Amino acid sequence: MLKILIPVDGSELALLAVHHALTLCGWGLKARFVVANVQSPANLYELMVAHDPTVLQQVSEAAGRDLMRPAVQLLQAAGQSVDQDVATGDPSHTLIELVERHACDAIILSAHGSSGFRGQLGKVAHELVQSSPVPVTVVRSPDADE
């Protein structure tokens, strides 16, 4: 059974990867999924204001879980096995670390998330296609050519 990483950022566009994964499962693919969210590291102001670094970690973890919730719910509603992971760091490098940590066989992600331009491959998707140790499926928005 394949283990597939699905990175999400909370955007509707990121859910395209989940819908694609579910389509593949409908065609007979047997897979388990790891839904991941990568949070940005705390900035200097946040570090100075929060006197306890564990508070920043807890806030980051809660934000990541909140952003992953729609993707996880879709997969669970379809009866799929789902693990979740919130990490902090540079998205591309951190996602590759998550692939290795979870022994994933593939990645499915949208061509662009909340910060990308429709019709263009986003930075994270581009970097993963270039450097991932496992196959990467990039799912384009249906209106990407508009």
Side-chain angles (χ1 to χ4, degrees), residues 8 13 29 58 63 70 87 97 99 124 136:
V8 296
L13 294 172
L29 177 71
Q58 291 169 348
E97 290 172 7
V99 163
V124 174
V136 177

Side-chain angles (χ1 to χ4, degrees), residues 46-144:
E46 292 167 331
L47 292 170
M48 296 300 291
V49 171
H51 300 290
D52 185 357
T54 58
V55 170
L56 291 174
Q57 183 179 358
Q58 291 169 348
V59 168
S60 179
E61 177 79 19
R65 292 213 178 267
D66 188 54
L67 293 171
M68 292 188 302
R69 186 174 296 115
V72 170
Q73 288 174 340
L74 279 171
L75 289 163
Q76 288 176 337
Q80 300 301 316
S81 173
V82 184
D83 291 326
Q84 301 176 57
D85 201 338
V86 177
T88 302
D90 170 71
S92 303
H93 293 104
T94 303
L95 289 170
I96 289 173
E97 290 172 7
L98 291 175
V99 163
E100 294 168 354
R101 180 184 319 154
H102 291 279
C104 293
D105 303 297
I107 301 171
I108 299 176
L109 76 159
S110 68
H112 40 77
S114 60
S115 61
F117 296 104
R118 291 179 189 264
Q120 297 179 357
L121 195 61
K123 178 184 176 199
V124 174
H126 183 265
E127 289 179 5
L128 286 174
V129 166
Q130 296 295 320
S131 59
S132 174
V134 298
V136 177
T137 299
V138 179
V139 181
R140 290 179 43 151
S141 171
D143 59 349

Side-chain angles (χ1 to χ4, degrees), residues 23-40:
T23 298
L24 294 175
C25 290
W27 292 341
L29 177 71
K30 303 290 184 213
R32 297 179 359 224
F33 298 95
V34 177
V35 175
N37 176 264
V38 179
Q39 294 284 301
S40 298

